[in-house]
Amino acid sequence: MHGSLELGRPRRRRRWWIPVVLVLLLVAAGPRLAAALPAAAVGLDHALAGRMVPDYEGRLTRLQQENAALRAQVAQGADALAENQALRQLLDCGRTTGSWQPARVISRSVGKITLACSAAAGTPLLDAEGRYAGRVSRDLGNDTCEAVLAGREDPPCAGLCGQAAGLLEAGTAWRLIGLPADSGLQAGAVVTTPGGYWLGTLAEAPQPETDGLTAWAPLTDTANLDSTVFFVKKS
């Protein structure tokens, strides 16, 4: 009788207790995990915030610096404006005093303009910057008037500069002629009309004329005679 020897494969024993142990460990570690998870979440949140949130403090500092610089510029401008206003009051040549009406230019001729306004002869005419540009020569009726531009007036417009007086000559360039040769005036001196209206400033010191007794000087900051709108003082 032939027999055979058959060896069977060893059976693996199921370790049923391992899941039970894992469950018990998780139960025991539950409170610690519950405490650790919020802390980890907060740490992650701070890390992300550090990368994603802009630098507001830095921007605020820069804006404060820019604001301080702008305030300084405004203060300088206010000082210059106050100085300018004081100078005009001293010379009695304010540009914005009184009641003025706008007058549109209807037509032009050599040295004269027709305006859409009603005004008496002799009424001063100013440009948009308040500088003397001439005077009304006659009222034409129907709310129109005629004005003679500065430099074309008869008699000529006088110009006062300090204690010196001259006559305005306006063409392609404005000049103050007939000044005393020994006036001692310097560039930048303010020139006004006898009524206190702004004519301009001396562009340079007066130069002697051929007679040796008088001098002339070019003017700057003068009226714009090519404007389409002027201002006439209301009576």
Side-chain angles (χ1 to χ4, degrees), residues 218-229:
L219 297 181
T220 187
D221 192 14
T222 56
N224 176 19
L225 301 184
D226 294 327
S227 177
T228 58
V229 176

Side-chain angles (χ1 to χ4, degrees), residues 126-139:
L126 306 183
D127 73 351
E129 295 293 329
R131 300 170 294 199
Y132 183 80
R135 61 174 175 250
V136 175
S137 56
R138 57 177 176 157
D139 192 336

Side-chain angles (χ1 to χ4, degrees), residues 36-123:
L37 287 176
V42 171
L44 180 60
D45 182 65
H46 285 313
L48 292 176
R51 293 185 179 183
M52 299 177 63
V53 176
D55 183 11
Y56 288 112
E57 293 184 358
R59 291 180 59 186
L60 178 60
T61 301
R62 289 192 295 272
L63 289 175
Q64 289 175 339
Q65 293 173 349
E66 293 177 1
N67 186 41
L70 290 175
R71 285 180 179 273
Q73 293 178 8
V74 171
Q76 293 176 359
D79 292 341
L81 182 60
E83 182 180 356
N84 183 274
Q85 183 65 25
L87 176 62
R88 295 187 186 281
Q89 289 179 353
L90 178 64
L91 296 172
D92 192 24
C93 59
R95 294 187 177 184
T96 57
T97 59
S99 180
W100 298 81
Q101 58 178 321
R104 180 174 53 85
V105 176
I106 300 175
S107 63
R108 289 180 178 271
S109 60
V110 179
K112 296 181 180 181
I113 53 176
T114 302
L115 301 170
C117 73
S118 178
T123 303

